[in-house]
C-alpha cells in the first residue's frame, strides 16, 4: 500500500511541475519520502526554467521596442525628402530666412525667420515633402541671427546640400560663431558633426565630435 502511495505522489508532482519524474518502487517510509523529495526538486527546477524563459522573452520584447524606434528613425531619414528639400518646402510655404532644419518625431522641423522679429516653425513630411503645419514661435534672438547671417553667401539649404556629400543630413543649423553646423548619419547609423563655411560652403569635420579627420 505504501508503495502505491509513493508512486501516486511522485507522478502528481511531475504533472504539476510540467517536467518528468521516474516513480521508484520502494518498501520503506524513508525511501518513499526521498523519492517524493526528488520529484519535488525536479518540478521546482522546471518551474525556475520556465520563469527564466519568460524573463528572457520580456527582455527580447524590450529590445524589440528599441529596434522599432530605430526602424522609425531610419524610415524618416530615408523618406526621400532631404534636409535641403524640407528647407525649400518650408520657405515656399512661409517666406523668410531659414535658419535650421531638424528631423524630429518623423517630420522635418524648419525654423524660419520672417519679417521683423517673427519666427515660424514649419513641419514638413519626410516622405512627401508636404507641409504639415506652421506656427509662430516666441524668440528674442532675431537681431543676433541677422548679425550672424550678415555677409553670408551660403544659405541653410546650400549648407545642407554641401554636407550631404558626407552622409544623410539629419539636421542643419546656424551657429553664431561657427557658421553652419550639420549632422549626418551614415548607412551604418554612425552620426557625425560638420561645419559648413557660410562664405565658401567648404565642409570640415567639427572637432567637437572627437574626430581626427580633416
Amino acid at each position: 500500500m505504501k508503495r502505491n502511495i509513493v508512486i501516486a505522489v511522485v507522478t502528481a508532482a511531475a504533472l504539476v511541475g510540467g517536467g518528468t519524474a521516474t516513480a521508484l518502487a520502494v518498501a520503506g517510509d524513508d525511501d518513499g519520502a526521498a523519492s517524493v523529495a526528488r520529484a519535488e526538486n525536479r518540478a521546482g527546477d522546471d518551474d525556475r526554467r520556465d520563469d527564466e524563459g519568460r524573463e528572457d522573452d520580456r527582455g527580447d520584447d524590450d529590445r524589440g521596442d528599441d529596434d522599432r524606434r530605430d526602424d522609425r528613425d531610419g524610415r524618416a531619414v530615408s523618406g526621400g525628402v532631404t534636409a535641403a528639400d524640407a528647407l525649400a518646402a518650408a520657405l515656399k510655404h512661409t517666406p523668410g530666412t531659414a535658419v535650421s532644419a531638424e528631423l524630429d518625431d518623423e517630420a522635418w522641423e524648419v525654423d524660419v525667420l520672417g519679417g521683423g522679429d517673427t519666427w515660424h516653425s514649419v513641419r514638413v513630411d519626410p516622405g512627401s515633402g508636404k507641409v504639415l503645419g506652421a506656427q509662430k514661435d516666441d524668440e528674442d534672438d532675431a537681431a543676433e541671427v541677422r548679425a550672424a547671417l550678415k555677409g553670408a553667401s551660403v544659405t541653410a539649404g546650400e549648407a545642407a546640400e554641401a554636407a550631404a556629400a558626407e552622409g544623410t543630413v539629419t539636421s542643419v543649423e546656424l551657429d553664431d560663431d561657427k557658421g553652419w553646423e550639420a549632422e549626418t548619419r551614415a548607412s551604418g547609423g554612425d552620426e557625425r558633426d560638420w561645419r559648413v563655411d557660410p562664405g565658401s560652403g567648404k565642409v570640415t569635420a567639427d572637432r567637437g565630435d572627437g574626430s581626427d579627420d580633416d
Side-chain angles (χ1 to χ4, degrees):
M1 182 65 178
K2 291 179 181 178
R3 177 173 179 272
N4 292 335
I5 292 175
V6 170
I7 293 174
V9 171
V10 171
T11 303
L15 292 175
V16 171
T20 59
T22 302
L24 301 177
V26 295
D29 292 340
D30 294 339
D31 290 341
S35 298
V36 173
R38 284 196 296 273
E40 290 177 346
N41 288 337
R42 176 69 63 84
D45 290 340
D46 290 338
D47 288 342
R48 282 193 293 273
R49 283 194 293 270
D50 290 341
D51 292 340
E52 289 172 357
R54 285 192 289 271
E55 290 176 357
D56 290 341
D57 290 341
R58 287 194 293 272
D60 292 340
D61 290 341
D62 293 339
R63 288 191 293 272
D65 291 340
D66 292 337
D67 292 340
R68 284 191 288 273
R69 283 192 291 271
D70 291 340
D71 290 342
R72 288 195 295 270
D73 292 342
R75 286 196 298 272
V77 171
S78 61
V81 176
T82 65
D85 293 336
L87 286 160
L91 290 174
K92 184 177 180 180
H93 180 275
T94 305
T97 302
V99 176
S100 69
E102 181 179 6
L103 191 61
D104 180 37
D105 296 334
E106 299 190 28
W108 285 104
E109 184 169 330
V110 181
D111 289 333
V112 177
L113 177 58
D117 296 338
T118 304
W119 285 93
H120 301 273
S121 179
V122 185
R123 293 179 65 80
V124 180
D125 187 284
S128 65
K130 179 182 178 181
V131 173
L132 302 174
Q135 65 180 22
K136 288 185 178 181
D137 285 340
D138 295 328
E139 301 287 348
D140 57 2
D141 58 348
E144 290 84 349
V145 171
R146 293 190 190 282
L149 287 171
K150 188 176 181 180
S153 58
V154 176
T155 66
E158 291 169 341
E161 288 179 344
E166 308 295 342
T168 301
V169 178
T170 56
S171 72
V172 59
E173 63 180 349
L174 180 67
D175 184 280
D176 293 347
D177 300 323
K178 302 177 182 179
W180 295 108
E181 292 187 334
E183 183 180 88
T184 62
R185 183 179 299 170
S187 58
D190 294 335
E191 296 181 348
R192 296 286 303 276
D193 293 328
W194 307 90
R195 296 184 188 179
V196 182
D197 189 281
S200 66
K202 181 181 178 180
V203 180
T204 57
D206 189 341
R207 294 296 182 182
D209 70 351
S211 172
D212 293 331
D213 297 339
D214 294 332

